[in-house]
Amino acid sequence: MNEKIERLKSLTYIPQKEIGWLIEQAELAVKQKAIIEENKLQQDITVKQFRQAQQDIRRLSGESSRYKKVLQQTIKNLQFVITTAKNELEGENS
């Protein structure tokens, strides 16, 4: 694209007004293409970050569920130990 712009700049048989317009349009197209490419790159990065966040959420949800189950089992075990200790104390006091 840049080569075409330079070639148009060197032409002398096209009226200056038209060549100026062509050059402006070509330069604008190059700038727009760069912006589009940058936006595409940013979009790809955002999609990757979003997918990573989804994976993290799933992993953390799973960990939370496992911790909850372990905590519930620990509470049951403690309740059993407390009940057993109470029974032993009541047996000793009788």
Side-chain angles (χ1 to χ4, degrees):
M1 187 69 143
N2 287 334
E3 293 173 17
K4 289 183 180 181
I5 292 171
E6 293 305 316
R7 189 176 64 77
L8 284 173
K9 287 180 181 178
S10 68
L11 295 177
T12 56
Y13 60 91
I14 297 176
Q16 191 63 32
K17 184 178 180 181
E18 282 77 14
I19 196 167
W21 181 84
L22 287 172
I23 291 168
E24 288 175 9
Q25 295 304 307
E27 289 172 345
L28 178 62
V30 169
K31 289 177 185 177
Q32 288 175 337
K33 182 179 178 188
I35 290 169
I36 290 169
E37 289 173 356
E38 179 62 26
N39 288 344
K40 175 72 171 124
L41 177 63
Q42 291 299 322
Q43 182 181 12
D44 291 345
I45 290 169
T46 301
V47 167
K48 184 177 179 179
Q49 289 173 336
F50 179 76
R51 287 183 180 149
Q52 182 62 47
Q54 284 181 319
Q55 289 176 351
D56 291 345
I57 289 168
R58 282 192 292 271
R59 180 181 53 80
L60 291 171
S61 294
E63 287 178 10
S64 175
S65 178
R66 285 190 297 278
Y67 289 139
K68 184 177 179 181
K69 288 177 184 177
V70 168
L71 182 59
Q72 288 171 341
Q73 186 59 45
T74 302
I75 290 169
K76 286 180 184 179
N77 291 344
L78 287 172
Q79 288 171 338
F80 175 77
V81 168
I82 290 169
T83 302
T84 302
K86 280 183 182 179
N87 291 340
E88 287 179 9
L89 285 173
E90 289 174 2
E92 289 176 6
N93 292 335
S94 302

